[in-house]
Amino acid sequence: MQKILSRFALLVTAAGLSVAVASCSDDDDKVIAPDMEPPTFNITVSEVQRTQADFSISSAEAADYAYIVAEPNESYMPTAEELFTDGTIGQFEKGVAEVTTLDVEGGKKFDIYVAVRRINPYVYSEVKKVDLNTDLPYNDLVTLDRVGKTDFKYHVEFPEGVTSMKHVVIKKPTTRRLKTSLPCLAP
């Protein structure tokens, strides 16, 4: 009985090996390489204000994006890897990202550096640069020029004939008020 079982096991093993060898083909030797072409993208600036810039990034090929807002500097040109290390990173939703940055200040010029990448493996795009100018005319009596984490800067247009004005700044979480009276220097 043991001879019959061992012969049966030998036949089953031989049949299994022949099926395995027969199913091998040259197609298995081909390795599909991931797409190593850099992803492409577009940037569209939709609105620039004195303290804010709104822009959109679109790419059908990339998973995420990174950007840095910096003052113009001829010698500064970051790589895509540096943007993803030092910049602001976000992910695309259906190939589009709407971005609002408050890293700008009124009356200045800025450059926005943007890059995108594919994931698994990382394939980075080229870096694109967009010029911004926040030197916009004052059209309101009070205009914010900069909003920081602990401070802000604003501009007050004095109506014609006004020689002084009072400013009141209120810290919202508390009821404490800071009042200042600033004399107006007539132009």
Side-chain angles (χ1 to χ4, degrees), residues 32-141:
I32 299 174
D35 189 4
M36 298 305 282
E37 286 290 318
T40 59
F41 67 101
N42 293 316
I43 307 169
T44 306
V45 177
S46 55
E47 185 176 8
V48 177
Q49 300 174 23
R50 292 188 72 83
T51 59
Q52 174 179 320
D54 298 334
F55 60 97
S56 64
I57 307 166
S58 60
S59 176
E61 306 165 2
D64 56 356
Y65 64 90
Y67 70 91
I68 289 180
V69 178
E71 291 188 32
N73 182 347
E74 293 294 323
S75 64
Y76 180 68
M77 187 58 187
T79 64
E81 291 85 354
E82 289 172 336
L83 290 179
F84 278 92
T85 301
D86 302 330
T88 302
I89 302 172
Q91 292 186 335
F92 287 107
E93 290 185 27
K94 297 181 181 175
V96 177
E98 298 292 333
V99 180
T100 296
T101 180
L102 301 175
D103 295 334
V104 296
E105 181 177 338
K108 292 188 176 184
K109 293 183 179 184
F110 294 91
D111 292 331
I112 299 178
Y113 299 92
V114 181
V116 300
R117 70 179 174 188
R118 279 196 190 98
I119 296 178
N120 203 13
Y122 288 139
V123 179
Y124 294 91
S125 70
E126 297 292 321
V127 175
K128 290 186 182 180
K129 180 178 94 166
V130 176
D131 300 326
L132 292 179
N133 187 354
T134 61
D135 191 17
L136 304 171
Y138 294 109
N139 53 10
D140 294 323
L141 288 177

